Amino acid sequence: MRRRITAPVLTGATATLLLALAAPHASAAPPPVPAHARVAAHDAATSPRILDTLSRFFARDGAVTKAAAAPRIEGEQAVPVYYLSRDFVAGEKDADIAELAFLASGAVSSDGQKASLWTVERQGSWKVVNVASGDDEVRYAGLGARKLPGGTVFREPQINAWYVADHARVLPLDADAVRAVGRDGVSLAAYRTRVDKAYGDKLPGSAYAKKGEAGGYGPPRHAARGPLTAASTAAGAGALVALGLSGVVVRRARRSRRTG
C-alpha cells in the first residue's frame, strides 16, 4: 500500500544559486541533537496520557481492544528525523543536505502493531504532536547507520524516499530512493543537481509557490520548533484528530519496500 504524504510549499525568500559553484561547499552532516534532548523527547512519549492515546490508536480498527493494546515505547532515546533541506536545494553555501524535522520514538502494541511518535520542542519542553502508523523513522535510522556508519539519514518527502549520506555520497535506503539515484547511489554533487532540477523552480518566491500549487518543496524551516505542517496532509488525518494530541494525529498508508 502506498504511503501518501504531501509536503506544502515553503514561504520565505530563497535564491537558487548555480550548483556548479555551490556543490564543493555542501555538507551532509547537520548539527547533532544532544543526548539530553533525545532523552527528554523519549520521556514525553512515555507519559500516561500518550500511552492512553496510543492504546486508542492501536484499537482504532478493532484489531485489539483499547484495554488489551498495552503499548510500549522502544529504546531509551528518541531518534532525530531529518528532511531534505531547502537551503541545499537552493545551492546555498555550506548548506547541510538535511535539516531536523522532529524526533521520533517507536511504539509497539501487544498484537505487534507499530507506530511512530513525533515530538517537537515547544517553549522549552518536548511534546508529542503526531502519531503515525508504522516504524519508518526508527527503522531507516537503524538501516542507515549500518549501511553508512556516521552518515546522515534523511527523507526526501516529495517522493517519500529515504537516504543516508556522508560528505561524498548519497546512498538509497528504500525502493523510492533506488528509483531516484540508482542502487549504488550518487555523489553529493550529483544528488544536489538532481534535487535542483526537481525542486529548484518550486522554492519560495518561485512562480510555482506564488500560484499556490499543491505539493511544493517541503517542511518549514526549523520544523522541530513548530507545527509539523507536512503531517496534516497525510492519509486519514482528519479521522484521528479526536485522539487529542497537541498537533495532528495521522494514519499513513504504506507499501512494503526493499532496501537498496
Side-chain angles (χ1 to χ4, degrees):
M1 197 184 316
R2 186 169 182 83
R3 182 189 195 188
R4 299 185 295 274
I5 296 181
T6 305
V9 177
L10 294 182
T11 59
T14 304
T16 301
L17 306 181
L18 292 175
L19 297 183
L21 295 177
H25 302 286
S27 168
V33 178
H36 67 82
R38 297 177 60 179
V39 170
H42 172 271
D43 291 347
T46 62
S47 73
R49 184 177 72 88
I50 297 303
L51 292 177
D52 181 73
T53 296
L54 276 172
S55 294
R56 286 181 282 147
F57 183 84
F58 287 132
R60 66 194 183 279
D61 292 328
V64 64
T65 66
K66 178 179 179 292
R72 68 181 188 277
I73 307 301
E74 297 186 308
E76 298 180 353
Q77 297 184 4
V79 174
V81 179
Y82 298 93
Y83 281 6
L84 174 64
S85 165
R86 66 176 186 180
D87 291 344
F88 180 86
V89 173
E92 293 192 10
K93 182 179 179 180
D94 299 323
D96 299 324
I97 194 171
E99 59 187 347
L100 183 68
F102 52 88
L103 302 187
S105 296
V108 182
S109 70
S110 61
D111 65 339
Q113 295 181 71
K114 295 184 178 181
S116 177
L117 295 165
W118 297 6
T119 48
V120 300
E121 187 179 20
R122 288 180 175 169
Q123 299 178 336
S125 64
W126 288 88
K127 300 182 183 300
V128 177
V129 296
N130 187 56
V131 179
S133 58
D135 63 347
D136 278 9
E137 290 76 17
V138 174
R139 180 162 51 91
Y140 285 120
L143 178 60
R146 294 190 296 272
K147 189 167 187 177
L148 190 60
T152 297
V153 175
F154 71 98
R155 179 172 177 255
E156 185 183 330
Q158 298 79 11
I159 60 172
N160 193 32
W162 287 88
Y163 308 88
V164 60
D166 62 13
H167 67 283
R169 54 186 173 159
V170 179
L171 302 179
L173 296 178
D174 69 353
D176 295 300
V178 169
R179 282 189 286 272
V181 301
R183 188 164 297 277
D184 296 327
V186 294
S187 70
L188 191 64
Y191 181 74
R192 181 175 241 166
T193 299
R194 192 192 76 78
V195 295
D196 173 72
K197 181 178 180 180
Y199 314 121
D201 62 348
K202 299 174 178 64
L203 289 168
S206 66
Y208 182 95
K210 291 176 180 178
K211 287 169 60 180
E213 296 285 352
Y217 169 63
R221 185 188 296 270
H222 307 311
R225 301 185 182 90
L228 298 177
T229 54
S232 65
T233 53
L240 293 178
V241 172
L243 289 181
L245 293 183
S246 58
V248 177
V249 182
V250 304
R251 296 170 63 181
R252 57 182 170 195
R254 298 176 182 273
R255 62 179 173 181
S256 59
R257 297 180 178 83
R258 295 180 181 177
T259 59

